[in-house]
């Protein structure tokens, strides 16, 4: 059995306090239960970020946390068609989540064609042959209630049972979970969680406001061959520019990220700006932006309801947010060095 990492041992700084991701965060938390820990193969050694790039391009889309939202994946494909130059699309983890049937799982896999899929904790645990005791592997901090964590484990368990006989599931294990893409003069480090762990929470909204965390991140940029860190995992977007590098966390491409704005986000890095970007920074010769994924909301909710009944764990945890968005504004999550454009 793999050793386990507690939610505080994976490079993340766990900050007590509120959570504006739009998910249930109240109630009692019990550290160490399934869903609050990650396996030791989630750890990312510092020298991994100095390796040669897995791709070079003019435009990078980092599409984290699409959560099986097929409408969002279709929209990303259309967005890419409007770009000029060489475009690289990286799905950096948790592209599977709401697709809790074999049929929907295979449709997500089909829509990944032409991209670089990188595993998040969901994909790593789906591919694992033996249960190592981490549940969904989300490494949830204590700000998330046991009830929410339990529902996440149930969502994951239903998916794992639905797809266990598909050969495509074992193939997930052959995919990377982190890597660097070169855009212009900038090196973009991409993973699901943070620079230290696939399920790390070190790039959450709360942690990017923590002075000690900012110092640690800036040290990471100064010591490693990375200019931009592109992440997701926390389900809540955040962005911060530091003296030696930029962090951008898209939160989710497949769920609304801000109040009254029913779109997901992708992290876009490119030599030219995007006309629909909602906030932006600059690094070397590239723009670092959050760009809306304006998927068909009605089609998504109709599909979601066809997979997850109203009393299901997915509907309880996520449907309110999917319909109306979280109680979060740009000012809650966009920090130093980024210009809000929307």
């Amino acid at each position: 059995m793999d050793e386990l990492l507690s939610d505080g041992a994976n490079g993340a700084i766990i900050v007590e306090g509120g959570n504006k991701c739009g998910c249930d965060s109240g109630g009692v938390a019990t550290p160490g239960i399934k869903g609050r820990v990650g396996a030791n193969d989630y750890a990312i050694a510092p020298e991994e970020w100095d390796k040669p790039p897995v791709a070079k391009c003019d435009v990078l889309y980092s599409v984290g946390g699409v959560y099986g939202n097929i409408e969002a994946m279709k929209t990303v494909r259309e967005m890419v068609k409007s770009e000029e130059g060489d475009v690289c699309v990286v799905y950096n983890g948790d592209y599977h989540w709401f697709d809790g049937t074999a049929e929907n799982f295979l449709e997500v896999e089909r829509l990944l064609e032409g991209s670089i899929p990188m595993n998040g904790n969901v994909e790593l645990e789906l591919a694992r042959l033996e249960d190592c005791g981490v549940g969904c592997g989300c490494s949830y901090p204590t700000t998330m209630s046991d009830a929410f964590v339990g529902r996440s484990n149930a969502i994951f368990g239903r998916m794992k049972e639905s797809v266990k006989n598909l050969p495509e599931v074992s193939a997930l294990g052959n995919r990377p979970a982190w890597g660097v893409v070169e855009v212009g003069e900038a090196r973009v480090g991409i993973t699901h969680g943070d620079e230290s762990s696939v399920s790390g929470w070190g790039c959450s909204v709360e942690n990017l406001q923590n002075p000690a965390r900012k110092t640690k991140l800036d040290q990471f940029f100064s010591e490693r061959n990375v200019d931009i860190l592109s992440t997701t995992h926390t389900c809540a977007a955040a962005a911060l520019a530091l003296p030696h590098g930029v962090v951008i966390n898209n939160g989710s491409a497949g769920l609304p990220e801000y109040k009254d704005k029913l779109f997901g986000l992708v992290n876009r890095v490119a030599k030219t700006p995007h006309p629909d970007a909602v906030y932006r920074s600059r690094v070397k010769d590239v723009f670092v932006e959050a760009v809306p994924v304006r998927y068909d909301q009605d089609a998504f909710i109709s599909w979601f309801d066809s997979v997850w009944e109203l009393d299901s764990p997915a509907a309880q945890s996520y449907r309110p947010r999917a319909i109306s968005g979280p109680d979060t504004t740009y000012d809650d999550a966009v920090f130093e060095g980024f210009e809000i454009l929307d």
Side-chain angles (χ1 to χ4, degrees):
M1 178 181 290
D2 292 305
E3 296 177 13
L4 305 181
L5 296 172
S6 72
D7 57 6
N10 58 9
I13 302 167
I14 302 306
V15 177
E16 299 292 340
N19 179 342
K20 290 194 174 185
C21 75
C23 304
D24 168 26
S25 59
V28 177
T30 307
I33 69 169
K34 285 186 175 184
R36 295 198 186 277
V37 291
N40 67 349
D41 57 5
Y42 290 8
I44 307 172
E47 58 270 19
E48 290 293 315
W49 300 113
D50 299 329
K51 290 183 176 180
V54 297
K56 298 181 180 182
C57 57
D58 301 311
V59 180
L60 167 66
Y61 277 50
S62 182
V63 190
V66 79
Y67 294 152
N69 182 341
I70 292 168
E71 297 302 323
M73 298 182 78
K74 291 176 181 176
T75 300
V76 169
R77 287 195 162 208
E78 292 303 310
M79 293 168 66
V80 168
K81 290 179 182 178
S82 67
E83 297 282 1
E84 296 182 359
D86 185 17
V87 184
C88 178
V89 179
V90 177
Y91 279 88
N92 53 314
D94 287 9
Y95 34 90
H96 292 297
W97 190 237
F98 298 139
D99 50 322
T101 69
E103 179 184 13
N104 284 317
F105 177 94
L106 292 173
E107 177 66 4
V108 169
E109 286 292 303
R110 185 188 69 80
L111 289 168
L112 289 171
E113 292 176 3
S115 71
I116 299 174
M118 289 186 179
N119 286 335
N121 51 282
V122 170
E123 289 78 28
L124 288 170
E125 295 313 313
L126 282 175
R128 204 181 298 280
L129 296 178
E130 295 183 7
D131 182 1
C132 69
V134 303
C136 62
C138 296
S139 300
Y140 285 118
T142 53
T143 52
M144 305 303 287
S145 70
D146 284 355
F148 181 85
V149 176
R151 289 195 294 271
S152 291
N153 288 328
I155 294 167
F156 174 77
R158 174 168 157 179
M159 170 174 284
K160 183 136 187 170
E161 180 65 23
S162 296
V163 304
K164 64 181 180 181
N165 295 322
L166 296 177
E168 289 82 359
V169 174
S170 59
L172 291 176
N174 298 323
R175 293 173 179 168
W178 56 81
V180 172
V181 173
E182 207 168 88
V183 186
E185 298 173 359
R187 282 173 54 94
V188 186
I190 307 174
T191 191
H192 185 65
D194 59 32
E195 77 281 8
S196 301
S197 170
V198 174
S199 66
W201 285 72
C203 297
S204 69
V205 171
E206 294 83 1
N207 282 315
L208 292 186
Q209 297 176 81
N210 183 296
R213 176 60 179 152
K214 290 181 183 180
T215 299
K216 183 176 180 180
L217 270 169
D218 201 46
Q219 183 180 4
F220 163 75
F221 286 119
S222 68
E223 293 178 350
R224 308 266 56 111
N225 192 12
V226 173
D227 303 295
I228 302 158
L229 182 62
S230 179
T231 73
T232 184
H233 184 54
T234 63
C235 205
L240 170 69
L242 296 162
H244 295 97
V246 166
V247 180
I248 185 164
N249 174 351
N250 76 307
S252 170
L255 283 175
E257 282 299 313
Y258 294 107
K259 186 176 182 179
D260 300 325
K261 299 179 185 297
L262 299 182
F263 52 73
L265 293 175
V266 295
N267 295 337
R268 180 183 183 270
V269 180
K271 296 180 181 179
T272 57
H274 194 284
D276 198 29
V278 292
Y279 44 89
R280 174 185 297 143
S281 188
R282 291 290 303 269
V283 176
K284 294 184 174 177
D285 64 338
V286 298
F287 295 88
V288 183
E289 302 170 315
V291 178
V293 182
R294 301 183 188 276
Y295 55 82
D296 186 329
Q297 169 77 349
D298 291 341
F300 169 57
I301 296 299
S302 177
W303 168 81
F304 182 96
D305 287 346
S306 73
V307 180
W308 298 97
E309 56 277 7
L310 289 178
D311 62 349
S312 68
Q316 291 180 57
S317 286
Y318 294 100
R319 194 175 189 275
R321 171 173 170 170
I323 290 175
S324 57
D327 188 22
T328 306
T329 67
Y330 295 133
D331 288 338
D332 294 323
V334 182
F335 306 125
E336 302 100 279
F338 274 81
E339 177 187 7
I340 297 173
L341 306 168
D342 189 19

